[in-house]
Amino acid sequence: MKNVLSRILILLSSIVFFSLSSPVNADSGTASPSGAESTVQEEASSGSAKGAGSDDEIESEASREINYIRESLQLPKRKNVLVAYFSRVGENPGVGVITKGNTRIVAEEIAKQTRGTLFEIRTVKDYPESYEACLALAKKEQAKQLRPELAENIDITPFDEIYLGSPVWNEDMPMAVYTFLEGHDFNGKVIRPFNTHEGSGDAGFVDKIRGAAKNAVVKPIFSVRGGMAQYESFKLPFAVKTWRTAESIRQSEALISNFK
Ligand SMILES: Cc1cc2nc3c(=O)[nH]c(=O)nc-3n(C[C@H](O)[C@H](O)[C@H](O)COP(=O)(O)O)c2cc1C
């Protein structure tokens, strides 16, 4: 009997204890198991109480973050770097008939590394696809020192660093490159030349550019075989980077221009 009474007492005191310690939700009248959980529930329900507006806020915050990361990864173009180049598609010695010019391939790699603006020096009149016909025309233009009209021009004022690319045509630059050089004021500009060739190397381009672009500071040239640009372009990123870095640490021009 005594045993039974003590059990009833324990049961009653437990009921009283739990009814006092469990807070009652004022709205629903239901008991929450603990204060801490009640707070989490309140936050959750207050969030859902705000409904779509709050979700929108979270979403726009997330998209702001994503845009920020995207912008940081897709680095903007560098406003002061121009990569101007002349390049021709068609038949070329050493590479056959090509659909993307050798010099253009190098220009694109430079633009990629420098985040510069690409500009193609194009003539109003296209050059022949056949190598022999093109060579004959190039020689004629050289003999007469013609300055073929360009299809498009660019204001170089905003650029202070200009990468200038050209193929070797009969030991010289195509006359259209002179049209470009003589048509602009290079005062205060730095020109970094590059060329592609099939054996002539730098072909004295640095001096030729110095003569045509008065007042420009002309840096050492990056000279590469057209065949390498065309068929071993995987070597270009390193070669271009070496040239640009070497130039900045003043290594010899010969070392760079003899790069094979
Ligand atoms: C008309 C013409 C003349 C060329 N003359 C020379 C030359 O004198 N020396 C040389 O090494 N390569 C010469 N080449 C080869 C080009 O310089 C070489 O193929 C170059 O990579 C072409 O560049 P592109 O594809 O950007 O036009 C000549 C090519 C052409 C079409």
Side-chain angles (χ1 to χ4, degrees):
M1 184 65 185
K2 199 178 166 192
N3 212 4
V4 172
L5 271 175
S6 66
R7 280 187 176 190
I8 289 169
L9 260 175
I10 289 168
L11 191 67
L12 278 174
S13 57
S14 307
I15 290 167
V16 170
F17 174 78
F18 279 115
S19 62
L20 286 176
S21 65
S22 301
V24 175
N25 184 315
D27 292 338
S28 64
T30 53
S32 301
S34 79
E37 269 189 41
S38 158
T39 311
V40 174
Q41 277 181 352
E42 272 165 25
E43 278 175 4
S45 67
S46 74
S48 61
K50 283 186 201 162
S54 176
D55 286 349
D56 285 352
E57 268 174 36
I58 292 166
E59 250 179 62
S60 65
E61 175 71 17
S63 70
R64 267 199 299 276
E65 290 290 326
I66 288 166
N67 281 341
Y68 175 77
I69 293 165
R70 201 173 276 157
E71 277 162 20
S72 326
L73 292 176
Q74 289 178 352
L75 296 164
K77 279 190 184 307
R78 268 174 63 193
K79 288 197 180 73
N80 63 335
V81 177
L82 177 68
V83 185
Y85 68 97
F86 179 98
S87 193
R88 168 184 154 275
V89 292
E91 187 191 1
N92 260 332
V95 291
V97 178
I98 51 173
T99 53
K100 193 181 208 183
N102 302 327
T103 315
R104 178 178 168 184
I105 294 170
V106 182
E108 286 179 353
E109 177 58 34
I110 295 170
K112 198 170 149 192
Q113 290 190 17
T114 58
R115 307 200 309 276
T117 299
L118 265 179
F119 174 73
E120 184 178 2
I121 301 168
R122 280 185 308 114
T123 46
V124 171
K125 213 166 160 252
D126 285 342
Y127 286 92
E129 274 208 24
S130 130
Y131 167 64
E132 288 301 335
C134 188
L135 181 61
L137 181 56
K139 282 181 174 174
K140 213 161 106 185
E141 288 184 350
Q142 277 175 8
K144 294 184 175 174
Q145 281 298 297
L146 297 182
R147 297 291 179 260
E149 191 187 340
L150 302 186
E152 202 189 341
N153 229 320
I154 186 167
D155 176 15
I156 66 161
T157 317
F159 305 103
D160 26 66
E161 204 180 0
I162 296 156
Y163 287 83
L164 178 73
S166 169
V168 178
W169 274 13
N170 195 31
E171 298 299 325
D172 203 344
M173 298 188 287
M175 294 297 106
V177 179
Y178 288 93
T179 314
F180 175 79
L181 288 172
E182 291 166 6
H184 295 285
D185 179 9
F186 286 90
N187 197 12
K189 315 274 182 201
V190 170
I191 298 182
R192 299 183 189 279
F194 59 99
N195 79 353
T196 66
H197 61 92
E198 225 25 80
S200 295
D202 65 45
F205 276 16
V206 169
D207 286 341
K208 293 178 199 299
I209 293 168
R210 280 188 184 134
K214 303 257 168 4
N215 303 320
V217 174
V218 186
K219 297 283 187 175
I221 189 168
F222 175 64
S223 205
V224 69
R225 276 192 185 259
M228 190 213 120
Q230 190 66 229
Y231 298 118
E232 297 175 275
S233 59
F234 64 91
K235 290 180 180 171
L236 276 179
F238 179 73
V240 168
K241 198 158 270 177
T242 305
W243 163 56
R244 294 177 52 233
T245 318
E247 201 285 326
S248 66
I249 57 171
R250 295 174 198 280
Q251 284 190 0
S252 88
E253 187 170 334
L255 173 79
I256 300 154
S257 63
N258 286 338
F259 180 88
K260 293 280 186 292

